[in-house]
Amino acid sequence: MGMTITEKILAAHAGRPAVEPGEIVTCKVDLVLGNDVTAPVAIKEFRKIGVDRVFDPERVALVASHFAPNKDIAAATQAKEMRDFAREQGIRHHYDVGDMGIEHALLPEKGLTVPGQVIIGADSHTCTYGAVGAFSTGVGSTDMAAAMATGTAWLKVPETHRFVLRGKLGRWVSGKDLILYLIGQIGVDGALYAAMEFDGPAIRSLSMEARLTVTNMAIEAGAKSGIISPDEVTLAYLRKRAQYPLRLYRSDDDARFARTYEFDVSRLEPQVALPFMPENTRPISEVGDVPVDQVFIGSCTNGRIEDLRIAASLLKGNKVHDGVRCLVIPATQGVYLQAMREGLLEVFLEAGAAVSTPTCGACLGGHMGVLAEGERCLSTTNRNFPGRMGHPKAEVYLASPAVAAATAITGRIAHPEEVARHVA
Amino acid sequence: MSPEAGRSEPLRGRAHTFGENIDTDRIIPARYLTRHDPAFLAQHCMEDEDPTFASRVQAGDFIVAGPNFGCGSSREHAPISIKAAGVAGVIAPTFARIFFRNAINTGLPILECPEAVAGIEPGDDLEVDFATGAIRNLTRGVEYQARPLPEFVLEIVAAGGLIPYVRRQLGTAS
Ligand code: SF4
């Protein structure tokens, strides 16, 4: 019996020829990650373990992304705890204001996430790195502490649900629409404890950035991880940036998939997830007339350069609708710089959008764009639970950057086609 | 999980019931994540779902919730706030996987038992043995048996959580 890519990676890291779904194995980890919310708790737990040094300072990444630049004194204190720990331990991959970004956009961009790795991170969207063909999963702070001390983690080998997407994507349909559609089909616990493996021509046609958007939201279906086996797109993306050797795996033809789903996505419309769950998705033509107060373009889901390019292509020469606040937050310093060089920032500013330095900020209702009671936001983020972006009675609709830009211009949730006539 | 749970003594308390897919933002909203002291987090436990919960809950009470409890973020602040609020344990048909790990690792007892959840009403008096998985609804006189935890996980439970477990593995336990 063959193995899936996930089983192969876990077996290799457990020092075993093979593993079976359901088994609990102790795996070596290649990268351990935390942020300014989760790392301080992990550091506190690490101190209790009784070792002085992390297992390998080159394999720990600490990213100040959530409340950075420091939103208040409490947040500043947490960021400082992390900074002091990084210094004390000689952790080079500590990204602070000035070179930081949202962790899941930043680490792939820096080439720290490569095929074949086992990555655990004290952040649920750690599943993002599956896009490059790594096994990566979100854990809690105590797991992070234990992994920093031992270089290992206990993992239950997940069963794999395979999603084969066929067909050619329509002009305004992106990775975000694919993953929203899949979550709408299977529900927020549709892949609970499982690895979601994405494949098929529609997935293969996606850029690495769009693939990162797809795997980013695997957790929103309850999955342990999301993964796409490496191909030429992966290798081209990593050519200039990989900081570790690549180990390329793919699922055997006779691998066990607990489930296989096949979808033809050639007629898929842009998707919108209605409040208050990522599974409440509808094709945009069925959303109706929904005016918004705020549009947010950014986050680890959709704050990469490709996302900003498409938003700018629609906003160019247009104005953000009266009474709508449009926020654009490039996900990393690198994206910010690139957007500036390409003139995208000018497009946003001239359209009447606000652009800020990288931060998670608005995505988790932390700072920079918190919603008041009764307000409605169309957001390119990944979650729309009550209170996610501010007041529990504020509403969040999730969609792609193209839909977000169209919505900013019309003031209500809109199909990009409506404003796209001038776009070449 | 607490050493008390490992000793297999049934705990007794009242049930607070919640619906399905209770996410970590409802357990502890992100706006409170600038701090991680348990007492502070306890004051805001379940706030956006039930603003009266933190003041009503009594030490030793249980949370009984629908499927996929704890979905959403990886914040360990969620089990920490529940535990610090005095909750003795959580019973649900299924847990979101990161929450499951975090509860085990930080010593918040949990059990998966769909039948018990279906039969428990708000305020019911429960007796729960987290080591054996036995759940008794004293108000209604019904007993349930929860799915046992995997053996490896029970070892972490018996050690008193992941940190003591790792200390033992590394030989740093005093
Ligand atoms: S952008 Fe949002 S979802 Fe992504 S890491 Fe930051 S808070 Fe989490």
Side-chain angles (χ1 to χ4, degrees), chain A residues 60-104:
Chain A
V60 176
L62 301 172
V63 188
S65 56
H66 279 53
F67 295 124
N70 305 331
K71 103 175 171 97
D72 57 22
I73 294 167
T77 308
Q78 293 201 137
K80 185 169 182 301
E81 282 167 19
M82 193 165 83
R83 191 176 303 124
D84 291 347
F85 183 75
R87 262 194 213 126
E88 168 201 308
Q89 297 286 330
I91 294 169
R92 195 162 54 95
H93 303 303
H94 168 246
Y95 299 101
D96 211 335
V97 172
D99 68 339
M100 69 85 169
I102 299 167
E103 44 200 346
H104 312 305

Side-chain angles (χ1 to χ4, degrees), chain B residues 25-82:
Chain B
D25 276 292
R26 279 184 277 177
I27 299 171
I28 183 77
R31 58 184 178 276
Y32 300 122
L33 301 185
T34 53
R35 290 173 59 178
H36 55 267
D37 42 316
F40 170 79
L41 297 174
Q43 288 163 21
H44 301 289
C45 183
M46 306 303 287
E47 186 172 293
D48 288 353
E49 183 65 15
D50 175 0
T52 68
F53 177 78
S55 51
R56 282 191 302 115
V57 67
Q58 307 220 331
D61 286 355
F62 301 103
I63 286 179
V64 178
N68 201 24
F69 185 80
C71 63
S73 89
S74 69
R75 65 191 70 156
E76 216 153 274
H77 311 65
I80 292 172
S81 78
I82 293 175

Side-chain angles (χ1 to χ4, degrees), chain A residues 35 65-66 102-104 123-125 216 220 296 298-301 359-364 381-383 388:
Chain A
N35 60 48
S65 56
H66 279 53
I102 299 167
E103 44 200 346
H104 312 305
D123 189 279
S124 60
H125 293 102
N216 175 267
E220 262 45 82
F296 173 47
S299 84
C300 60
T301 317
T359 179
C360 289
C363 172
L364 79 163
T381 52
N382 45 41
R383 294 198 164 130
R388 175 64 183 179

Side-chain angles (χ1 to χ4, degrees), chain A residues 45 48-49 74 78 81 122-124 137-143 154 192-193 224 277 364 383 385 388, chain B residues 21 23 25 30 33-34 36 68 72-74 76-77 95 97-98 101-102 105 112 152 156 162-163 167 172:
Chain A
E45 295 303 311
K48 296 181 190 161
I49 294 177
Q78 293 201 137
E81 282 167 19
D123 189 279
S124 60
T137 192
V139 295
S141 296
T142 301
D143 276 309
W154 68 271
L192 198 64
Y193 295 110
K224 179 170 204 143
M277 292 249 259
L364 79 163
R383 294 198 164 130
F385 302 129
R388 175 64 183 179
Chain B
N21 298 316
D23 64 272
D25 276 292
L33 301 185
T34 53
H36 55 267
N68 201 24
S73 89
S74 69
E76 216 153 274
H77 311 65
F95 291 88
R97 59 160 286 277
I98 304 179
R101 288 185 81 93
N102 289 348
N105 289 343
E112 291 188 332
F152 180 87
I156 297 176
L162 186 63
I163 298 299
R167 284 171 60 93
T172 53

Side-chain angles (χ1 to χ4, degrees), chain A residues 291-306:
Chain A
V292 301
D293 303 290
Q294 179 169 303
V295 168
F296 173 47
I297 301 171
S299 84
C300 60
T301 317
N302 281 126
R304 285 173 274 266
I305 191 69
E306 208 177 87

Side-chain angles (χ1 to χ4, degrees), chain B residues 114-138:
Chain B
E115 302 78 24
V117 172
I120 294 169
E121 299 288 327
D124 280 2
D125 198 10
L126 308 181
E127 193 177 80
V128 184
D129 188 328
F130 283 97
T132 65
I135 301 168
R136 291 174 64 194
N137 187 333
L138 302 174

